[in-house]
Structures are given as structure tokens and as C-alpha cells.
Amino acid sequence: MILRPATADDVPAVTDLEAELFGPDAWPAGSVAEELTGERRTAVVAVDAGVVGYAVTLSSDVVDLQRIGVAATYRRTGLAHRLLAAVSTGGRMLLEVSERNTGARAFYEAEGFTEIGRRRRYYRDGADAVVMERATQ
Ligand SMILES: CC(C)(COP(=O)(O)OP(=O)(O)OC[C@H]1O[C@@H](n2cnc3c(N)ncnc32)[C@H](O)[C@@H]1OP(=O)(O)O)[C@@H](O)C(=O)NCCC(=O)NCCS
């Protein structure tokens, strides 16, 4: 398993993984291309036989975690922990996660994020977004 910066060549594999992980909320290929290679983005992929995980941030005055995902068969091996560390700057980081995504919320809590607010009915299934923050480390 290696972690390396994402490139335009990773767009098809990450688009496939997006569809697997996020279904109707998955980014289409155009959005994946923007997120992996766009301005102010930091994107890292985990590669085994192919791409099995990825993480993307968008940096302004704070760093937003746009996405983190790991293929189902690679979970609970510390891979998301490594991906998050690879895109972290040590500064304040924010993210939004569905209130119904208990696995991801448990992961973020384990990584030191705390809830600072909610966006009501933010997702297409009617779920709230939980806004989480990790202060400067
Ligand atoms: C959330 C996600 C990225 C976690 O990836 P992962 O590689 O399994 O996470 P790690 O192995 O690094 O987990 C580190 C710690 O986080 C916590 N954790 C991670 N997943 C958890 C889960 N499903 N339930 C409870 N705790 C969890 C645990 O404390 C874990 O340590 P442990 O395995 O020693 O108990 C992964 O489940 C995923 O891709 N989910 C689908 C996509 C998604 O919802 N992404 C987030 C929204 S953008």
C-alpha cells in the first residue's frame, strides 16, 4: 500500500470508488477531476492493486475536508487515519457529515473532531449535516 498525491490519471478509478461509496450522492467524473487537480485542493490516493482510498481538502483561511473514503474491504486497518494525516496541515479543519453516517462520525470523533453545528435537511435523503471541527493541532 502506498499513499501518493492524486493526479488526473486517477480520475476514472476515484470516480468508480465514489459511486461505490456514495451512490446517488457520488461526484460525477467532472467533479472528481476538479477535486483531485483543482486550485487550493490537496488530494491523496492510497494504491494497492488499484486505488482503494482517497482524501481531498480545500484550503482557504481554514481547511475543509471535502471527502475521505476507503474501499469496504480495506476498512478498519488505519488507512483513513493515514489518508487524513497526509492531507492535514496541523491547522484548523472543518467538515460536514450526514447525521446518519455513524461509521464516519465515529471515525471523525476518533480523529479529534467535535460537533460545532448542524445544517438542517442538508442531504437529499433529508438528513441533517453535522458540522465538525478540529482545532489547530
Ligand atoms: C469513514 C471511513 C473513511 C473510515 O475509514 P477506515 O479506513 O475504516 O478508518 P480507520 O481504519 O483509519 O479508523 C480509525 C479509527 O476510527 C474509528 N472508526 C473508523 N470506522 C469506524 C466505524 N465504522 N465504526 C466505529 N468506529 C470507526 C475507530 O476508532 C478506528 O480505530 P480502530 O479500527 O482501531 O477501532 C470509511 O468507513 C469509509 O470510507 N466510509 C464510506 C465513505 C464515507 O462515509 N466517508 C466519509 C464522508 S466524506
Side-chain angles (χ1 to χ4, degrees), residues 18-114:
E18 266 284 313
E20 206 175 293
L21 301 183
F22 297 105
D25 293 319
W27 288 332
S31 303
V32 171
E34 174 67 18
E35 295 290 342
L36 294 190
T37 63
E39 278 182 24
R40 298 188 291 129
R41 265 60 168 204
T42 300
V44 171
V45 290
V47 181
D48 193 13
V51 174
V52 298
Y54 59 105
V56 182
T57 62
L58 173 61
S59 301
S60 52
D61 48 334
V62 293
V63 175
D64 284 300
L65 183 64
Q66 302 280 86
R67 267 307 197 243
I68 188 162
V70 170
T73 52
Y74 287 81
R75 289 186 193 156
R76 302 305 287 268
T77 63
L79 187 48
H81 172 79
R82 287 176 63 195
L83 284 162
L84 182 63
V87 295
S88 293
T89 59
R92 182 170 176 243
M93 190 180 268
L94 290 170
L95 62 83
E96 282 155 4
V97 60
S98 169
E99 62 180 344
R100 296 179 187 161
N101 193 345
T102 50
R105 289 177 67 185
F107 167 70
Y108 293 137
E109 276 163 25
E111 293 291 332
F113 287 84
T114 53

